[in-house]
Amino acid sequence: MDFKGSTVYQIYPKSFYDSNGDGIGDIRGIIEKLDYIQSLGADYIWSTPFFASPMQDNGYDVEDYRSIHPLFGTMEDVEELIEKARERGIGLMFDMVFNHTSTRHEWFQKALAGDPKYMDYYIFKDGEPGVPPTNWQSKFGGTAWEYVPYLKKWYLHLFDVTQADLNWSNAAVREELKNVIRFWKEKGVKGFRFDVVNLISKPEVFTDDDQGDGRRFYSDGPRVHEYLKELTADTQIGNMITVGEMSSTSVEHCIRYSDPGEKELSMCFNFHHLKVDYFNGNKWELAKPDYCRLKTLLETWQLQMQQHHGWNALFWSNHDQPRIVSRLGEDKKYWKQSAKMLAACMYLLRGTPYIYQGEELGMTNPGYQSIDEYRDVESIHYYQILIQSGKTSKEALEILGARSRDNGRTPMQWNSKKYAGFSKKQPWIGIPENYKYVNVEAQEQDTDSILHYYRKLIALRKRYKVIQDGSIQFLYQKQEEVFAYQRIWEGQKLLVLNNLSGREVVLQEGVAVAGCRCLLSNYVQGESERIWALRAYESMVWLKEG
């Protein structure tokens, strides 16, 4: 399957569009907005989970992989969504959370009842109260183990205590999960995104980590490639679009995951480039973005994947990340320019774009002023951790304002009416005050809008093989603020120039553009034979043919 010219649009259903007026987005809301998604040029919709769930982690704690949470709708709604999308040439990608289940899942409930078959579906270890089997830490803070007194055992949860890790070394577990894939394939789903899939293989022996939080023992674990090959072969999804979310991974592993010859996945998400504003690698300590580090990471992954036949999933944002224009752009004075620049910067690289709902509008972080405005389990947990570490409430809120997953989960802004046109009722989470001008309706009417820019960019990816298949070379590597590269394919050369900073940058060497066409720009361009400087957050895309 050729996915190189495709663009994926990610939807977080809870915040996309509320069709029934309960303040929560739903599946029928996605159906009602399919024409909008089609107008963007998207080829696939990746939807985050709407399966049955207690919603401790907003659906990533699945109670039943074959049932739909009533908040979102019914199985009939899902079937209609799949069909209505297909009629528009759009395929559905479903999110498979296969590292863990909710503790309310039938399998785990049977395990808690002492059924040995189902206890072996999870990772239980004998032990005494207060003495976890290892010192591993949960991704959400605190120990990664929970004690069950009457069983005298601990179970592993790399995430929330209500998300118990599955035991992939048990062939019966792998077969159960294959059947989930087969079920949704039969329904017409055209692709799958696998949540934290590089964590599924745990070591045979569990030991303390004297160097960190335990992740080095289970990230890209000992049998992960074997498991993915088996899953792909036995469910016959090798010809479908698949992407794995990779936590704390390496480029070497992602080459293997995405090399077509390995027959594991189409492509990978990695998050290294979204840690360049972490202080000493700590998400919860703020630092100014390190643009040299950002450039180095993007260049390394692009060139390594190109050399070894891997494939990148290109993204800035998702439901777990802050809004990129607030993070690496400038969401006030240069809001429009920086949002456009970031789009060209990322989505003309070698790989498949994943555009997150609202990114195409330049949606921003909401700037919440109270912990009561947050809904995310991780954010609420870390607020308490930050307070306990000695931070003031103001300091802790400043950190959440930059880091919380809720930054990307505010409702889609459709118009300037009450609740941004998302719902007729107060939404489940608050909306940024700038919705009155940052919305779909306003940007539809403005031909210079961020929305129109995204449409042009996606159309370019479909039109030009140089973007889909071209090799990549990086330019101006010694100028921190300049992220520039060229794509080359059969006589076509695409030049992409980006100024990552909010000030004018003089290029160390002028760029010759005589004989080129300017395909895309976030400023008005005059005729030129050579470019000597880039304005604040300026982005230009030039094409030379023949």
Side-chain angles (χ1 to χ4, degrees):
M1 184 210 63
D2 183 14
F3 46 77
K4 294 184 177 180
S6 298
T7 296
V8 183
Y9 188 76
Q10 185 199 348
I11 288 178
Y12 189 68
K14 193 173 183 180
S15 295
F16 190 61
Y17 184 64
D18 172 18
S19 72
N20 61 3
D22 64 357
I24 296 172
D26 46 50
I27 296 160
R28 297 217 64 81
I30 302 174
I31 294 171
E32 291 186 28
K33 297 297 184 180
L34 282 173
D35 287 343
Y36 169 76
I37 298 166
Q38 183 183 27
S39 77
L40 277 175
D43 303 281
Y44 293 92
I45 293 170
W46 155 31
S47 173
T48 55
F50 41 61
F51 308 124
S53 166
M55 301 298 286
Q56 282 293 117
D57 190 22
N58 277 294
Y60 281 87
D61 47 330
V62 179
E63 184 176 344
D64 186 344
Y65 294 102
R66 295 178 179 84
S67 295
I68 308 305
H69 196 299
L71 272 177
F72 299 116
T74 65
M75 183 63 76
E76 289 72 24
D77 292 332
V78 174
E79 291 167 347
E80 183 179 344
L81 171 61
I82 294 168
E83 178 59 23
K84 290 285 179 66
R86 185 195 64 79
E87 291 171 1
R88 291 165 173 79
I90 301 171
L92 264 293
M93 290 180 70
F94 277 12
D95 208 324
M96 297 290 107
V97 188
F98 283 174
N99 176 70
H100 47 263
T101 73
S102 167
T103 51
R104 278 185 23 188
H105 196 290
E106 179 185 16
W107 304 338
F108 194 78
Q109 289 299 304
K110 288 181 177 179
L112 287 180
D115 186 326
K117 173 184 175 180
Y118 289 97
M119 289 182 74
D120 195 41
Y121 272 36
Y122 297 89
I123 298 171
F124 281 92
K125 297 293 179 185
D126 293 332
E128 298 298 325
V131 189
T134 69
N135 65 348
W136 297 3
Q137 294 295 294
S138 160
K139 303 287 188 181
F140 291 169
T143 179
W145 298 92
E146 179 71 7
Y147 192 64
V148 184
Y150 61 89
L151 293 176
K152 295 185 178 179
K153 293 179 183 292
W154 296 80
Y155 69 84
L156 180 68
H157 62 91
L158 292 181
F159 293 87
D160 189 64
V161 67
T162 64
Q163 293 167 297
D165 280 53
L166 286 163
N167 176 20
W168 272 71
S169 65
N170 182 343
V173 169
R174 301 199 300 274
E175 194 60 32
E176 294 268 22
L177 299 177
K178 290 172 198 172
N179 285 333
V180 173
I181 295 290
R182 295 175 183 125
F183 174 85
W184 287 113
K185 271 187 69 180
E186 184 69 23
K187 294 282 187 185
V189 172
K190 298 300 182 185
F192 296 96
R193 182 262 192 188
F194 294 100
D195 185 62
V196 292
V197 74
N198 68 319
L199 308 186
I200 58 177
S201 175
K202 310 304 192 292
E204 288 187 14
V205 178
F206 287 73
T207 59
D208 281 347
D209 186 354
D210 59 3
Q211 299 177 29
D213 60 7
R215 70 184 63 192
R216 65 192 179 97
F217 293 126
Y218 57 75
S219 298
D220 305 308
R223 298 179 65 188
V224 65
H225 293 285
E226 170 195 339
Y227 292 153
L228 285 175
K229 285 178 171 63
E230 178 186 313
L231 181 72
T232 296
D234 290 358
T235 58
Q236 298 181 311
I237 58 174
N239 63 342
M240 301 172 71
I241 185 170
T242 56
V243 60
E245 180 194 28
M246 305 298 171
S247 175
S248 302
T249 189
S250 68
V251 67
E252 292 79 14
H253 276 289
C254 286
I255 288 166
R256 288 187 64 187
Y257 292 130
S258 63
D259 181 344
E262 295 286 342
K263 298 182 179 179
E264 296 183 15
L265 298 167
S266 305
M267 63 196 81
C268 300
F269 288 120
N270 83 85
F271 298 89
H272 296 71
H273 65 294
L274 292 178
K275 298 179 181 179
V276 297
D277 55 356
Y278 290 10
F279 184 77
N280 289 334
N282 185 345
K283 171 180 175 177
W284 303 100
E285 289 191 46
L286 305 184
K288 290 183 178 180
D290 183 340
Y291 291 114
C292 284
R293 180 73 177 144
L294 175 66
K295 288 174 56 172
T296 299
L297 285 166
L298 291 174
E299 290 170 14
T300 299
W301 279 76
Q302 286 281 304
L303 295 174
Q304 288 289 310
M305 296 290 252
Q306 173 175 265
Q307 181 180 352
H308 299 287
H309 312 294
W311 196 250
N312 290 285
L314 306 173
F315 75 105
W316 281 127
S317 307
N318 62 33
H319 61 288
D320 284 336
Q321 297 292 330
R323 290 291 181 177
I324 195 62
V325 71
S326 295
R327 185 175 189 178
L328 296 183
E330 200 284 314
D331 61 12
K332 294 180 175 61
K333 181 179 179 180
Y334 291 108
W335 162 68
K336 185 182 288 189
Q337 292 90 341
S338 62
K340 291 179 181 181
M341 179 276 295
L342 289 164
C345 179
M346 177 61 70
Y347 299 127
L348 294 173
L349 290 168
R350 183 178 176 275
T352 299
Y354 284 72
I355 294 167
Y356 179 58
Q357 65 183 50
E359 185 182 350
E360 76 278 14
L361 305 176
M363 280 180 57
T364 68
N365 290 347
Y368 294 147
Q369 299 298 306
S370 166
I371 189 60
D372 296 334
E373 296 181 86
Y374 287 91
R375 302 290 179 266
D376 174 38
V377 59
E378 180 192 46
S379 301
I380 294 168
H381 191 166
Y382 264 95
Y383 176 79
Q384 297 302 328
I385 291 173
L386 291 167
I387 294 296
Q388 290 165 11
S389 73
K391 301 286 186 186
T392 65
S393 176
K394 182 179 179 181
E395 290 170 333
L397 287 170
E398 181 185 1
I399 293 169
L400 290 188
R403 293 284 186 262
S404 172
R405 300 191 300 181
D406 279 342
N407 287 310
R409 297 178 179 184
T410 59
M412 182 72 171
Q413 294 163 201
W414 294 101
N415 57 45
S416 60
K417 296 177 182 176
K418 194 173 184 179
Y419 306 132
F422 164 76
S423 177
K424 294 179 181 177
K425 181 182 176 181
Q426 184 170 334
W428 69 278
I429 192 170
I431 299 173
E433 293 181 3
N434 60 17
Y435 76 89
K436 292 188 178 179
Y437 65 91
V438 183
N439 65 69
V440 172
E441 188 178 84
Q443 295 198 28
E444 289 278 15
Q445 297 167 11
D446 176 9
T447 56
D448 188 45
S449 69
I450 299 166
L451 174 59
H452 279 282
Y453 188 90
Y454 266 82
R455 284 178 176 152
K456 290 175 186 175
L457 190 152
I458 293 168
L460 290 179
R461 288 197 60 93
K462 293 183 187 301
R463 180 175 177 182
Y464 292 105
K465 292 286 285 182
V466 67
I467 305 176
Q468 300 170 27
D469 297 319
S471 61
I472 191 165
Q473 297 175 351
F474 289 91
L475 311 169
Y476 296 99
Q477 288 156 299
K478 294 182 180 179
Q479 284 198 261
E480 179 181 1
E481 306 94 335
V482 180
F483 187 65
Y485 54 90
Q486 57 186 8
R487 307 289 308 280
I488 302 168
W489 182 85
E490 293 190 1
Q492 289 185 341
K493 183 180 288 187
L494 189 83
L495 173 65
V496 185
L497 297 171
N498 301 287
N499 179 0
L500 300 172
S501 77
R503 60 182 180 82
E504 182 180 279
V505 173
V506 176
L507 298 174
Q508 290 175 353
E509 296 179 18
V511 182
V513 292
C516 300
R517 282 190 295 131
C518 186
L519 297 182
L520 201 61
S521 173
N522 62 353
Y523 283 87
V524 176
Q525 289 300 321
E527 290 190 17
S528 178
E529 293 191 354
R530 186 170 289 271
I531 299 166
W532 293 102
L534 296 174
R535 287 166 282 190
Y537 297 110
E538 185 164 19
S539 178
M540 289 184 281
V541 180
W542 297 83
L543 178 71
K544 187 171 185 177
E545 298 185 272

